[in-house]
Amino acid sequence: MDAEQEPPTEPREAYLDAARECVLDLGWRRTTLTEVARRAGVSRMTIYRTWADRPALLADLLTREWTAVVDATAPDAARADGLVDRLVAAVRALRGNELFVRIVELDPEVLLPYLTSRRGRSQQHLIDLLEAAVAAGQAAGEVRAGDPAVIARALVLAGHGFVLSMHTMIDGPGGPVSAAALEAELRLLITRALAP
């Protein structure tokens, strides 16, 4: 293989890439496993052997997407400093993620189970990262005492509102409440919640 040549993508990843394209182009409701197969260049049965149904495919797609966003911005358990900055960056990155934006625009009901019925894998991933970062911050004397699991989950609950609903609280251009002003409040909220 040439040094400049990229390694081949795992088939499952290529199928998820095709599903992502479908959701961006058509929305989730109009995405079929047949269309995913067509875009991936495989038979429909290949997709059905990988995922039994559309919800299973969607769950894997969302987990891959949100976990990648979180991993790119989430706090590192080995570092207590910068926790607030990284949490605010994670909220900003999730809000700006093109797949997230498209789902909110066309198929917001897809997100409802993760807010009202159960935790998703990517939510649990973020909780695990936060719990470790909070514990590290406590050990360094930079984060208040308390159960790291409870603190991590409370931070995720607070983040839900800023990720999902912040756009509803922003005024139009020149209005008194901007995204930057709300981000500053989020930063203050997290800072005070973690202060020793």
Side-chain angles (χ1 to χ4, degrees), residues 176-186:
V177 179
S178 65
L182 287 173
E183 269 192 14
E185 283 299 312
L186 174 61

Side-chain angles (χ1 to χ4, degrees), residues 60-85:
D60 282 355
L61 175 62
L62 296 182
T63 297
R64 182 184 78 161
E65 189 83 10
W66 308 158
T67 299
V69 171
V70 164
D71 284 348
T73 57
D76 178 350
R79 289 183 46 206
D81 63 320
L83 180 56
V84 174
D85 290 339

